[in-house]
Amino acid sequence: MLGDLSDRDRAILTLEAAWPRHSGMKEETIRTQLGMSPARYYQLLGRLIETEQALQFDPLLVRRLRRLRDARGAQRSSRMRGFVG
C-alpha cells in the first residue's frame, strides 16, 4: 500500500533514486531539500528499505540498496573473522 509511506519517506526514496552514485554535494542536498542531517537521512533510509511499502514504491531501488547493504555486511564479517586483535 503506497498510502502507508509518508511524504518524507517518499522524498527520501526519490532523492536516493535520482542521485548519481558517486557525485558530490549529496550531503548539502539532503540538508536543503529534506531539512535533516545526512546521518539522520541514512538512518531513516536504512529502516525504510526494510519496509514492504518502500519495496512497492520503488522495487529496483530498494532491492539494489538491500544488496549493497548485505554486501557491506558480508565484507565486515569476513574482516572480523580474520581479526586477531
Side-chain angles (χ1 to χ4, degrees), residues 13-66:
L13 291 171
T14 300
L15 176 67
E16 192 64 27
W19 199 261
R21 289 185 188 167
H22 300 291
S23 181
M25 296 186 53
K26 184 175 183 179
E27 292 179 354
E28 185 59 32
T29 302
I30 292 168
R31 284 186 181 93
T32 57
Q33 287 188 7
L34 301 177
M36 65 181 72
S37 72
R40 182 67 179 147
Y41 170 85
Y42 288 111
Q43 286 174 342
L44 293 172
L45 180 62
R47 291 181 190 146
L48 190 54
I49 65 171
E50 290 303 314
T51 67
E52 187 63 30
Q53 293 81 9
L55 186 62
Q56 290 176 6
F57 181 77
D58 192 336
L60 294 176
L61 173 68
V62 171
R63 287 186 183 119
R64 179 175 60 84
L65 293 174
R66 287 177 180 178

